[in-house]
Amino acid sequence: MSDELRVGGQGLGNIKGKGASSVKVPKLWTGDYYNEGVGSSHDGLFDKLREECGVFGVFGHSEAASLSYYGLHALQHRGQESAGICVTGGDSFNYHRGMGLVKEVFNNENLGTLVGSNAIAHVRYSTSGESKLANAQPLVFKYREGDLAIATNGNLTNAPAIKRQLEKEGSIFQTTSDTEVVAHLIARSKHDDIVSAVKETLLKVEGAYAFLFMTKDKLIAARDPYGLRPFVMGRLGTAKLFASESCAFDTVGGQYYRDIEPGELLVMDLKTGTLTEDRFSPIKQRAICAMEYIYFARPDSDIDSTNIHSARKRMGRQLAIESFVDADVVTGVPDSSISAAIGYAEQTGIPYELGLIKNRYTGRTFIQPSQELREQGVKMKLSAVRSIVEGKRVVMIDDSIVRGTTSLRIVNLLREAGASEVHVRISSPPFQNPCFYGIDTPSRKELIAAVKSVEEIRQAINADSLHFLSKEGLLTAIGRPGGEYNRGHCTACFDNHYPTPVPDEAALSCGCD
């Protein structure tokens, strides 16, 4: 994808100014107003990576829908295009889904209709698939054993091949979601009980996933055999909670209990009130996504007992050890780079300052940005504090460089505010390969680190110096114990070593699409 962005499959539109000829400009939205349904983070001005989904589940609580609502709020950073909640009390399903942020999809009226003690919920961000209500989750299906609801975070790498085969055999698909492929496999299973059908299905799919399945009397949680996507279990009194991140438990007053193991299948039975710990697969190779620690997860979340904020601070410290530069101030690009910037400052003794301020209220606008405003669009989101950076040698910490366009804009922003030098330090290795496991990434040829050397990137972003954290430094900083390959991380985006077979990148789409 170039700087002429495409959103929702829309191409370039024409705008005619007074006395001017027709000029082609990117159309940055598909609805009535800019950023409809996707909040303020999906604006076409930044080339950050994006997670695709977040899941939340409740078993055995009378206010399951309300808990899910607040849980989804805590996971909003993982998806801003749509949200949904499905509940049951042992009889029929009640569910509501909509396009937009959680606070826009739900209100007192529709939440009041979601009565039941069990719930699964979802926030979604799509990539190549169309952003539409039909793809919003949880998806709800009718099959021979009754109602089935499914919510997932991740991507099934062999879903396109399975879907083509199912279509040849007569299956008709209503969405472009990997989740519907799983539903068809469950429906075709010769097993009548849902647990056996789910096990059989999960053995047929490949890739990264955290699944929540719900019937009228069971709730099932499953994580892929590599543990690529985060998935945790919590408690609230006697109720069981499930979420993509532990921060969601804090929001609802619950407590983190443990991470769901790779290949594990947890079955909650409404009739007996029991939880059964089971497996559909042995652990193949622990490979939690390293980008969760670097960028995606909230700083107050824990993954495998490692706090994200603390891990990012250690990344900043390690980055300082590997690439010290004499400077006057250290600043981080809000928000995910702040922790690493603090660590860099603490290690070097260079003062940490708020040299960049994020505008959190850009929201939506009916005004279509002009070409000039698009070129300066980063100023809608970030402002440099002139009194902090003017005449100073600045170390700018960021978590990653994708295409390089954002880094260039921010470096120039600091220079325009009077910074005498701008030294860029990245708290991850060069991002050189696309992800096939549930993260929105450009193709390999569009990743700047895949086609340019570090020196060429430095020149492209107009920095005085540039350094990336080494992979070894990253794994040391995260701090997970050794003894497993890559200390149990997936680092394919840095080293091209994918833990599972992956198809041609051009043939793959988001698992949530």
Side-chain angles (χ1 to χ4, degrees):
M1 187 182 295
S2 67
D3 287 342
E4 293 184 334
L5 297 166
R6 298 175 65 87
V7 176
Q10 297 297 311
L12 300 175
N14 290 333
I15 295 180
K16 293 184 179 180
K18 185 177 181 180
S21 60
S22 177
V23 178
K24 283 191 174 183
V25 296
K27 184 172 182 178
L28 298 179
W29 70 94
T30 58
D32 293 331
Y33 44 80
Y34 182 56
N35 275 350
E36 179 177 7
V38 294
S40 59
S41 67
H42 187 187
D43 55 37
L45 299 174
F46 289 79
D47 64 352
K48 288 294 186 182
L49 304 170
R50 290 182 175 88
E51 249 291 10
E52 290 172 354
C53 297
V55 297
F56 188 83
V58 180
F59 177 78
H61 196 286
S62 60
E63 299 294 330
S66 295
L67 292 178
S68 298
Y69 172 78
Y70 289 112
L72 291 184
H73 263 290
L75 300 174
Q76 187 74 86
H77 60 289
R78 301 186 75 90
Q80 297 90 41
E81 287 196 359
S82 66
I85 299 173
C86 179
V87 302
T88 183
D91 190 8
S92 60
F93 279 4
N94 296 298
Y95 61 94
H96 181 76
R97 300 176 306 213
M99 303 302 293
L101 303 176
V102 176
K103 66 180 180 181
E104 298 163 339
V105 172
F106 295 101
N107 53 43
N108 286 333
E109 182 178 353
N110 56 45
L111 274 175
T113 66
L114 303 179
V115 179
S117 58
N118 300 338
I120 62 174
H122 191 268
V123 287
R124 174 176 176 268
Y125 165 73
S126 69
T127 54
S128 58
E130 189 176 356
S131 177
K132 59 183 181 180
L133 184 59
N135 286 332
Q137 295 190 27
L139 294 181
V140 179
F141 306 94
K142 296 282 187 180
Y143 84 119
R144 66 181 184 275
E145 296 301 313
D147 292 329
L148 173 66
I150 310 177
T152 184
N153 169 35
N155 192 64
L156 303 181
T157 56
N158 65 339
I162 295 175
K163 183 178 181 181
R164 287 192 297 270
Q165 182 60 39
L166 290 174
E167 287 175 330
K168 288 180 180 178
E169 296 173 1
S171 292
I172 299 174
F173 287 82
Q174 304 298 319
T175 75
T176 57
S177 171
D178 286 3
T179 307
E180 190 175 4
V181 172
V182 170
H184 278 268
L185 291 175
I186 291 173
R188 285 169 168 260
S189 173
K190 294 180 180 179
H191 297 285
D192 288 333
D193 70 289
I194 186 65
V195 175
S196 297
V198 167
K199 285 183 179 181
E200 180 184 66
T201 295
L202 295 180
L203 290 173
K204 294 179 179 179
V205 299
E206 298 172 352
Y209 51 83
F211 270 114
L212 284 172
F213 303 90
M214 189 170 71
T215 65
K216 65 180 182 180
D217 58 4
K218 285 185 174 60
L219 193 152
I220 301 171
R223 189 181 184 191
D224 71 81
Y226 299 86
L228 283 153
R229 300 261 60 84
F231 204 18
V232 289
M233 178 181 174
R235 291 174 171 174
L236 179 59
T238 59
K240 309 295 189 300
L241 306 176
F242 303 89
S244 293
E245 290 184 39
S246 61
C247 64
F249 301 150
D250 298 327
T251 301
V252 301
Q255 292 183 322
Y256 164 84
Y257 178 59
R258 68 174 177 89
D259 285 57
I260 296 173
E261 286 289 304
E264 189 172 24
L265 189 84
L266 301 180
V267 182
M268 277 63 58
D269 190 296
L270 180 61
K271 294 178 181 178
T272 63
T274 58
L275 182 153
T276 302
E277 298 178 346
D278 200 353
R279 282 197 162 274
F280 67 91
S281 169
I283 298 174
K284 293 185 177 180
Q285 172 193 318
R286 290 183 187 270
I288 180 70
C289 173
M291 287 302 296
E292 292 287 349
Y293 294 93
I294 296 165
Y295 174 64
F296 291 121
R298 266 180 37 168
D300 52 336
S301 289
D302 293 340
I303 297 177
D304 276 359
S305 302
T306 297
N307 174 253
I308 298 300
H309 168 68
S310 299
R312 289 175 184 164
K313 279 186 66 176
R314 293 192 295 270
M315 291 175 205
R317 287 183 173 275
Q318 184 64 31
L319 189 58
I321 293 169
E322 295 181 5
S323 60
F324 172 79
V325 61
D326 193 16
D328 301 306
V329 297
V330 176
T331 192
V333 178
D335 287 310
S336 58
S337 304
I338 299 300
S339 300
I342 293 172
Y344 191 100
E346 289 179 352
Q347 182 67 33
T348 61
I350 302 171
Y352 169 77
E353 294 283 1
L354 288 175
L356 293 165
I357 301 297
K358 184 176 183 179
N359 179 4
R360 304 181 187 281
Y361 303 101
T362 52
R364 300 167 172 185
T365 174
F366 288 90
I367 302 172
Q368 180 165 346
S370 66
Q371 180 66 31
E372 181 180 358
L373 286 178
R374 275 195 306 279
E375 291 299 322
Q376 300 297 320
V378 71
K379 294 180 180 179
M380 290 178 63
K381 276 298 201 69
L382 290 178
S383 299
V385 184
R386 180 174 292 274
S387 62
I388 296 297
V389 304
E390 189 170 24
K392 303 289 181 60
R393 298 168 297 172
V394 178
V395 179
M396 185 193 91
I397 308 294
D398 205 353
D399 50 71
S400 59
I401 296 180
V402 184
R403 296 182 181 89
T405 53
T406 295
S407 298
L408 173 62
R409 288 170 177 144
I410 299 175
V411 169
N412 287 342
L413 191 68
L414 291 168
R415 293 197 186 281
E416 290 169 10
S420 60
E421 297 176 12
V422 181
H423 301 275
V424 177
R425 296 294 182 267
I426 306 299
S427 59
S428 67
F431 201 104
Q432 298 178 315
N433 309 290
C435 178
F436 300 103
Y437 301 126
I439 295 173
D440 175 23
T441 54
S443 64
R444 186 176 280 105
K445 65 183 180 181
E446 295 172 287
L447 295 167
I448 192 170
V451 296
K452 293 182 183 293
S453 67
V454 173
E455 172 57 22
E456 288 171 332
I457 298 172
R458 181 198 68 77
Q459 295 176 21
I461 67 173
N462 195 28
D464 289 283
S465 70
L466 170 66
H467 190 91
F468 292 86
L469 181 62
S470 67
K471 192 182 94 167
E472 294 73 20
L474 169 67
L475 298 181
T476 298
I478 293 175
R480 292 183 65 185
E484 295 179 294
Y485 177 74
N486 259 357
R487 292 197 181 191
H489 301 90
C490 175
T491 54
C493 51
F494 310 130
D495 58 20
N496 204 32
H497 293 155
Y498 294 94
T500 74
V502 294
D504 173 23
E505 62 185 270
L508 201 63
S509 66
C510 162
C512 303
D513 290 345

